[in-house]
Structure formats: structure tokens, C-alpha cells
Amino acid sequence: MIYLESKSNDPAYNTALELYAFQELAKEDNVFFLWINKPCIVVGKNQNTRQEIDQKYCDEHNIQIVRRVSGGGAVYHDYNNLNYTIISNEDSEADFDFKSMSQPVLDALADMGVDAQFTGRNDLQIGDQKFCGNAQYIKGKRVMHHGCMMFDVDVSVLSKALTVSKDKYESKGKTSVRSRVTNIKDHLEDKSLTVRDFLNKLREHMYKTYDMKEYILTEEDEEKIRAIKAEKNDSWDWVYGSNPDFNVQRKRKLPTGKVEANINVIHGIIEDIKFYGDFFGVKDVAELATMLKGTKYDRESILKVIDKVNIKEYFMGVSNEEAVDVLVD
């Protein structure tokens, strides 16, 4: 297994390095990657950035906004948040498997005396409080699993920077973001440990468990990483995106996440469509949007299009009928 540790705290660089590792370094072996970002918000690939953040607050507090290639929800990072990535090459077409991919982190925490569990769709919790959200990006037989672990994060900033829809938390019986999250440090016997100490302990655990060798990036690697950074998080279109006007907006909360469809219908025909949400899918949902353009805006016509694809590749765990419900009554 290849071990990577970023020397940068720039989230735009680190997400580019992560994608480079997925595309290139993982050709040689599986990858384990650790990094720490300066204050930022990382939004999921399919999310509407403007709806997930308090832009004014972020601007005033120098909180950078970046977008990752995986689905799921927006997360806040600061210098006391440790991020990890596991990139795995599978024997057959990869599928979403959050629980087993999270196990190395759970085992490392157990060694430190912290009883953490995998719960729900993609969360790691201590008791009934979340300390880590996970997401995955899959392409063919390769899967990238990553999580952001709250070690000693400033929760007051987190709750102000993220604009979170109430339904996501009220449905789980909690009243706010702050009441649902916890920091790992609060559960450690040794309160003097820093996030850097935690990184070192997790790295040591992985070295004892797996045959790992650290990879040192070359200048050629760095040049390619800079190119990915320029294409992705240095681009306003990637982070925010320019969206057309829509005259139909529909929202549904599905078992695997929220989906919002903004649809422009002209003379009964779908002219344009954009999907948002914290859902997961193997394929880019923009492909499905393209297939639906030019379709009559009625249930029967839309179902005919959806019946031609494997809808679970775009919306994990969703049936064809549920997908149609997202779009039309």
C-alpha cells in the first residue's frame, strides 16, 4: 500500500492531490492518504454550493470553498480536522461499501480507547454523536473512500458556516448541527494530544496493519497535480457553477439522501434539468440529465427514459418509480 501525507494545508491542492492519487498512483497499488486543511468547506459533487453555505460568513472569516468529486454532503474543515482517504482496486466492478472501508479508522480509535461505530448511511459516531462523515467516488474497479474526522474542530464556526436544511437533522431527532456532532479529543483519556499526534497514531496503526511504503511526490507529479487544481477548484464554474433559470423545482428526501431537481419546461418539453443533493451514485448524474432533455414532461415519457438505464448507478438505492417521483407527479 502506498502512503501519502500532504505537506500543504491548501484544500484546493489537497483535493487535486487526492484525485491524482486516484487516477495515477493507484495504478501501482492501493493508497492511504492523510492531510489537514486550513478552514474551508468542501461540498459534494452534486450539491448547489450557494444553498449549502453562508457565503457572507465564509468571506468574512476567510473560509475557502472547494468541491470534491464524490457525492454526499458539505463538510467544514479546519486545522483540527484530520482527513483520510483509502483508494482501493477491486477484483470486479466496485460498489459502495462505507462500513468495511471505515474499519481501519474504527480499529485505530479502539487502540486509543475510543469506542466508535459506523451508523446510518455513511457516518462514524461516538455514542449518538457524529465525528466523521464519509463519501465515496467509484470508477470501474477502483473506489476512493474518504472521511473528515473532527478531532478538535471549532463547532461554533462549523454551525455558522454551513447552512443546513432543517429536515436533515429534525428527522433524526436532533435540533441542530452542534447537538449531533462531537470531537474525538473529548473522548480521549489524554487531553494533551493534538491533531498531529492523532495523525501520527493513525499512521502508525496503518503501518502495523498493512504493508505500507511512503510515496514522495516528484516534480512531474506536482505539475500534474497543479493542472488538476487549475481545472477543478481554481475554477469558479467547478465550485459554484453557472445555472440556467428553471420554472419547476422539486425536492424529495429518499432513504439514501436528498435529491432536488430543477427543471426548465418549455411547451411541455424538458429543455434543461439540473440535479442537486447529497445522494451518492457511481455515474455522473449530468449524464441522466442529458438523456432527459427533449423528453415530454409527463410521468410516462420520463419513465421510458429511466427504464433504459440502471437508475441505481445515478442514485444509489433508488427504484425507477422513486426516480420518476423526484421529477414529476
Side-chain angles (χ1 to χ4, degrees), residues 47 51-52 121 163-177 180 250-260 276-278:
Q47 291 190 293
Q51 292 182 359
E52 298 299 325
R121 182 175 68 135
T163 304
V164 182
S165 61
K166 291 183 179 179
D167 65 333
K168 189 169 184 178
Y169 291 97
E170 288 179 348
S171 65
K172 296 186 179 183
K174 299 290 181 177
T175 58
S176 67
V177 176
R180 281 204 69 239
R250 294 176 61 85
K251 298 179 181 179
R252 290 291 182 273
K253 194 169 188 302
L254 302 170
T256 54
K258 295 186 300 178
V259 180
E260 175 185 323
Y276 296 111
D278 60 1

Side-chain angles (χ1 to χ4, degrees), residues 105-161:
V105 170
L106 297 177
D107 292 341
L109 286 169
D111 287 348
M112 296 178 225
V114 177
D115 182 17
Q117 305 293 330
F118 178 88
T119 64
R121 182 175 68 135
N122 60 328
D123 293 344
L124 300 186
Q125 293 188 185
I126 300 171
D128 66 347
Q129 292 181 301
K130 172 181 173 180
F131 70 90
C132 179
N134 292 277
Q136 290 185 355
Y137 172 67
I138 295 173
K139 192 169 184 179
K141 297 181 180 181
R142 189 169 298 162
V143 57
M144 176 166 69
H145 175 99
H146 47 196
C148 55
M149 295 182 287
M150 294 173 57
F151 181 78
D152 193 18
V153 172
D154 188 337
V155 179
S156 66
V157 174
L158 181 156
S159 60
K160 293 173 184 175

Side-chain angles (χ1 to χ4, degrees), residues 13 16-17 20 217 221-230:
Y13 172 85
L17 171 53
Y20 177 73
L217 296 169
D221 292 328
E222 294 285 7
E223 184 178 345
K224 293 177 180 178
I225 293 164
R226 287 191 292 269
I228 295 173
K229 177 176 177 287

Side-chain angles (χ1 to χ4, degrees), residues 102-323:
S102 302
Q103 197 60 47
V105 170
L106 297 177
D107 292 341
L109 286 169
D111 287 348
M112 296 178 225
V114 177
D115 182 17
Q117 305 293 330
F118 178 88
T119 64
R121 182 175 68 135
N122 60 328
D123 293 344
L124 300 186
Q125 293 188 185
I126 300 171
D128 66 347
Q129 292 181 301
K130 172 181 173 180
F131 70 90
C132 179
N134 292 277
Q136 290 185 355
Y137 172 67
I138 295 173
K139 192 169 184 179
K141 297 181 180 181
R142 189 169 298 162
V143 57
M144 176 166 69
H145 175 99
H146 47 196
C148 55
M149 295 182 287
M150 294 173 57
F151 181 78
D152 193 18
V153 172
D154 188 337
V155 179
S156 66
V157 174
L158 181 156
S159 60
K160 293 173 184 175
L162 286 172
T163 304
V164 182
S165 61
K166 291 183 179 179
D167 65 333
K168 189 169 184 178
Y169 291 97
E170 288 179 348
S171 65
K172 296 186 179 183
K174 299 290 181 177
T175 58
S176 67
V177 176
R178 185 177 300 185
S179 67
R180 281 204 69 239
V181 298
T182 188
N183 280 304
I184 293 170
K185 187 173 182 177
D186 295 340
H187 304 271
L188 295 173
E189 289 187 11
D190 186 353
K191 303 300 183 186
S192 68
L193 288 177
T194 66
V195 69
R196 178 57 59 176
D197 295 327
F198 178 53
L199 182 152
N200 291 336
K201 286 182 176 294
L202 179 56
R203 180 184 59 203
E204 290 168 8
H205 173 85
M206 293 296 290
Y207 265 104
K208 286 189 294 185
T209 307
Y210 300 92
D211 181 17
M212 289 206 314
K213 183 176 182 180
E214 185 168 7
Y215 183 87
I216 305 301
L217 296 169
T218 66
E219 181 51 42
E220 182 181 357
D221 292 328
E222 294 285 7
E223 184 178 345
K224 293 177 180 178
I225 293 164
R226 287 191 292 269
I228 295 173
K229 177 176 177 287
E231 177 190 359
K232 299 292 186 185
N233 280 310
D234 287 346
S235 164
W236 184 93
D237 280 341
W238 170 252
V239 178
Y240 291 95
S242 52
N243 302 314
D245 293 328
F246 295 93
N247 53 30
V248 177
Q249 183 182 65
R250 294 176 61 85
K251 298 179 181 179
R252 290 291 182 273
K253 194 169 188 302
L254 302 170
T256 54
K258 295 186 300 178
V259 180
E260 175 185 323
N262 287 353
I263 312 163
N264 192 15
V265 180
I266 298 178
H267 303 306
I269 302 296
I270 297 176
E271 182 74 14
D272 208 348
I273 185 168
K274 182 77 172 180
F275 292 103
Y276 296 111
D278 60 1
F279 55 89
F280 293 100
V282 177
K283 290 187 175 180
D284 191 339
V285 75
E287 295 178 7
L288 179 61
T290 299
M291 295 177 204
L292 288 164
K293 290 180 183 179
T295 302
K296 287 183 181 179
Y297 187 60
D298 62 51
R299 191 174 187 88
E300 183 180 357
S301 300
I302 291 172
L303 183 58
K304 285 180 180 178
V305 175
I306 289 177
D307 280 343
K308 294 178 182 177
V309 303
N310 180 357
I311 198 64
K312 291 181 176 62
E313 292 183 325
Y314 298 99
F315 303 109
M316 183 179 72
V318 174
S319 69
N320 288 16
E321 288 292 335
E322 287 173 322

